[in-house]
Amino acid sequence: MEKIEFKQLEENLYHETLDNGLEVYLLPKSGFHKTYATFTTKYGSIDNKFVPLGEDNYVSVPDGIAHFLEHKLFEKEHGDVFQDFSKQGASANAFTSFTRTAYLFSSTSNVEKNLETLMDFVQAPYFTEKTVEKEKGIIGQEITMYEDNADWRAYFGLIESMFHTHPVKIDIAGTIDSISKITKDLLYTCYETFYHPSNMLLFVVGPMDTSEMMQFIKDNQAKKTFKEKEEIKRQFDEEPTSVNEKKKVLKMNVHTSKCMVGIKESNPTKQGPELLKHELTVNILLDLLFGKSSDHYQKLYDDGLIDETFAYDYTGENGFGFAMLGGDTAEPDKLAERVQKILLQFDPNSIEEQELERIKKKKIGSFLRALNSPEFIANQFTRYAFNNMDLFEVTPQLEKITLEDLKAVAKDFIKEEAFTTCQVVPK
Amino acid sequence: MKLVDERTYTLNGINVHTIPTNKFKTNTIVLKVKAPLSEEDVTVRAILPYVLQNATESHPQPSQFRAYLDELYGASLAVDLSKKGEDHIISIRLEIANEKFLKDSTPLLEKGIELLSEVLLKPVTEGNGFKSATVDKEKRALKQRIQSVYDDKMRYASQRLIEEMCAAEPYRLSANGEKEKVDAITSESLYSYYQNMLKTNDIHLYFVGDIKEEEVDEYVKKYFVLPDQDNKVTSSITQPNKEMKEPNEVIERQDIKQGKLNIGYRTNVTFKDDLYYALQVFNGIFGGFSHSKLFINVREKESLAYYAASRVESHKGLLLVMSGIDFSNYEKAVTIINQQIEAMKQGEYTEGEISQTKAVIKNQILETIDTARGLIEVLYNNEVSEADKPIEAFLEGVENVTKEEIQEVAQMIELDTTYFLTGKEA
């Protein structure tokens, strides 16, 4: 077991790669009651074209299948795994993103038992035609719920506007039509391919004896057999650098309009430290331009174009990346225009060293605040690891970012042809 | 084992609470200002913290003020309003990094306390009021905030249920106030409300983090100097239970895809009652968790919904059910939900289900106190209801709940209002 010390943060991380390929990380947190564990596979909604384990040819699977599989893993021959967790005093959950499916629990007692339940249920699929059919009703209601959610529609509408072919544009849950095509055999195909331990990461954070915990995990894994690990072949269609459409307007039953502006990453191939530096730099740039302490934010607020829902965010993964800015607004066209103008007229030479230092301080403090949360640590650490980055490099990397870095990123990232907007307006 | 080490004392008219712990990387300071919820004041009170968080005398421009927060290593300042029973509570939270985790060892706690005191006590004024440009801007934002509930159908349906159910009680009011009352607010009227608030409201100040109590005392003494307290308002008068008539059914139509079914029951039990623990266990078996009757019967067995859950409004004694369903499944879902209430009244739950539910509730409480904010909310519940339920006693109380007590609570529960937000067609 490898021990990685973060002296300034007073944290120690323990790591081991097991024989079956599973990456295990343990972060002891004394003083906390809760233990939080995530068991995550590098498989999300974008992985819809791949070569099934043991086969030679690519197959395409229905939209929403990764999310459907997430739901179905909880059901076993003996019943529902949620029940097992709650009998052991734990609360369990799961989520599917573009690139990951995570299963998790948190509990303040019976930690080893709950951890065993987590590893065992994820590693023992049980799908039948009958239960697959039943789930279509539940997920159908989940999809319908999101159709009425204006924020979700604006968010996904913007992504659809950005991408021509990349499956990131497909709603994570799929559609009622696409999920109707899901069968138990297809679920097994996806499961066998993507749930190999060598494609997964287990993260446990909480009060613990790390040696005992690691041994417990190793013993559990040693009892199980897995096929030989194979490299997973995923296929994505060629995605143009241009945006799919410049503007989309959705009419919904709302009182207030929403407006989101997107900026599409033109060359989203960065991984590892390069991606870490890039995303931190883009985030600093967005903060400088649109943070609450910026003149632009104050002006937009004073002019009545934004309110406290205004937010911005950058997403970067292997194969796609984008920034989005926006929120509720009385004047969606005007807000889109102003935001785009601010971006285009931005002169990187105008930034002063002290502004950069101020934003860096803010980011370092926010990162410390986030480290109070076991959920943040486990979920983000996993996302970082799947992109070959290290969560605990955030502060050192932030400290290293220079004005020159900001200028380079501004020049590369802010381009008019990469802009798109999506609005939700009252019917 | 003592789970929380809380010390409470009164200083300058403020109730100070310190909870030292070294498990966080930040220090959290929360200010709670309480007054009875009233039709007359709800809107002016709702705008006040948003005006206050714009700027202070020493940082009079909002961008300067925000830049100063950035300089304090991204100290986060947030305000919000909530209801606890018939009380209307302003919360102002400041979370600030503990410098021992930074390379730079500038002491941040004192600066944080000073800044929070300025937010409360040194607003930017002009003439006899707040700066009118700020008030105007915040009036616009408040209207948008009130209106935004309409656009979130889940929140909208919950709010509509309460409005219908508590039509004759102050509790019907939304913590964010009423849109029609916003225009009448002036910078002068708001300022005079503010001055009165400082003199009469019940104020609590919580500190959670790696703090030294002497240090906190010193800073509170130095910075939180309030005007003389007169006519202190005590806790609001708890409304007597509404006389139960026939259950009410409200159906509302909108252009939407999914129906929102919200059902409200009167539990006749509140936070300070002895039966409160049994109510929590009742709710857990009925609809609080994924092993509960609602989840199993509405979602898992019938596939009618993605979510079907219940929660307790602790200080008001309400049990609220919420679910998203197809328009056509209204009757079916209502029948199944009422059958679950009936099953609860009949005592149809096993010792196994009871102990499972107790374990999950205990887990939930311990998890809540693993966050500074959650811990403060848990402790503040005691202040609001003038109850004495420290966390250890709470856990014990839940543990000791018997099957008979759960059934006793079940018998007291009365259906009040069924609200359904459904589609335009049909």
Side-chain angles (χ1 to χ4, degrees), chain A residues 8-9 11 33-34 86 89 106 108 141 148 253 255-256 293 302 307-308 369 372 399 427, chain B residues 25-26 70 74 101-103 137 140 144-145 147 150-151 254-255 257-258 303 356 363 367 370:
Chain A
Q8 186 69 39
L9 294 171
E11 300 283 1
H33 302 103
K34 162 161 89 179
S86 68
S106 62
T108 53
Q141 284 308 321
D148 281 334
N253 172 33
H255 279 164
T256 309
S293 56
D302 291 349
D307 64 12
E308 71 241 16
R369 186 157 67 239
N372 288 336
E399 282 164 351
K427 266 190 177 166
Chain B
K25 306 239 184 280
T26 52
D70 291 352
F101 301 106
L102 299 170
K103 278 188 182 157
K137 191 177 75 174
R140 192 170 54 214
Q144 211 148 305
R145 194 175 306 124
Q147 182 171 290
Y150 178 88
D151 298 347
Q254 272 188 21
D255 180 11
K257 298 269 186 345
Q258 185 180 63
S303 311
Q356 178 177 6
N363 185 51
E367 285 192 12
D370 268 350

Side-chain angles (χ1 to χ4, degrees), chain A residues 30-33, chain B residues 3-5 18-28 98 100-101 207-213 369-372 375:
Chain A
S30 65
F32 278 74
H33 302 103
Chain B
L3 291 165
V4 176
D5 187 16
T18 52
I19 302 108
T21 167
N22 56 15
K23 71 186 192 188
F24 303 120
K25 306 239 184 280
T26 52
N27 292 316
T28 301
N98 183 330
K100 76 175 179 183
F101 301 106
F207 294 87
V208 175
D210 192 3
I211 48 170
K212 287 189 191 69
E213 290 176 332
I369 66 171
D370 268 350
T371 67
L375 174 60

Side-chain angles (χ1 to χ4, degrees), chain A residues 70-90:
Chain A
E70 172 228 299
H71 271 238
K72 265 351 290 160
L73 262 192
F74 283 92
E75 195 157 317
K76 302 292 170 223
E77 202 164 1
H78 75 273
D80 192 340
V81 183
F82 281 123
Q83 289 277 354
D84 301 339
F85 279 110
S86 68
K87 278 179 189 144
Q88 293 153 198

Side-chain angles (χ1 to χ4, degrees), chain B residues 121-223:
Chain B
L121 301 170
K122 296 189 174 157
V124 184
T125 54
E126 169 185 278
N128 294 323
F130 290 108
K131 207 170 155 188
S132 59
T134 306
V135 175
D136 288 343
K137 191 177 75 174
E138 292 304 332
K139 280 162 75 172
R140 192 170 54 214
L142 178 61
K143 281 192 209 167
Q144 211 148 305
R145 194 175 306 124
I146 295 168
Q147 182 171 290
S148 72
V149 174
Y150 178 88
D151 298 347
D152 179 338
K153 302 306 169 193
M154 253 188 241
R155 269 174 66 207
Y156 177 78
S158 301
Q159 185 174 311
R160 288 285 300 119
L161 171 69
I162 296 295
E163 282 170 8
E164 292 289 341
M165 191 172 173
C166 304
E169 297 151 90
Y171 195 73
R172 77 178 184 286
L173 297 164
S174 156
N176 282 324
E178 298 179 300
K179 200 178 166 195
E180 312 75 59
K181 300 270 178 71
V182 177
D183 283 332
I185 297 170
T186 66
S187 61
E188 290 80 20
S189 67
L190 183 62
Y191 193 67
S192 105
Y193 180 82
Y194 158 77
Q195 287 176 310
N196 192 48
M197 175 192 87
L198 289 182
K199 284 187 207 149
T200 62
N201 280 197
D202 181 43
I203 303 177
H204 290 259
L205 188 56
Y206 288 86
F207 294 87
V208 175
D210 192 3
I211 48 170
K212 287 189 191 69
E213 290 176 332
E214 320 82 72
E215 236 179 284
V216 169
D217 289 359
E218 186 195 323
Y219 301 146
V220 173
K221 262 186 215 138
K222 188 164 160 196
Y223 298 112

Side-chain angles (χ1 to χ4, degrees), chain A residues 115-130:
Chain A
L115 190 57
E116 183 179 36
T117 305
L118 178 71
M119 289 186 285
D120 289 355
F121 100 82
V122 173
Q123 293 182 324
Y126 171 78
F127 311 130
T128 68
E129 290 299 353
K130 201 175 149 221

Side-chain angles (χ1 to χ4, degrees), chain B residues 219-288:
Chain B
Y219 301 146
V220 173
K221 262 186 215 138
K222 188 164 160 196
Y223 298 112
F224 278 90
V225 182
L226 258 67
D228 283 343
Q229 312 277 297
D230 55 308
N231 298 318
K232 270 290 230 208
V233 284
T234 46
S235 207
S236 69
I237 305 139
T238 311
Q239 297 283 312
N241 282 320
K242 160 176 150 180
E243 195 138 326
M244 287 303 294
K245 296 188 217 102
E246 276 300 289
N248 193 14
E249 186 191 50
V250 179
I251 302 210
E252 188 175 331
R253 294 185 187 279
Q254 272 188 21
D255 180 11
I256 47 169
K257 298 269 186 345
Q258 185 180 63
K260 304 289 177 208
L261 172 59
N262 289 56
I263 307 181
Y265 301 85
R266 300 270 167 179
T267 68
N268 303 300
V269 175
T270 65
F271 188 86
K272 58 176 173 292
D273 297 317
D274 292 341
L275 274 178
Y276 180 74
Y277 304 120
L279 175 63
Q280 282 295 336
V281 179
F282 170 96
N283 180 57
I285 301 172
F286 173 63

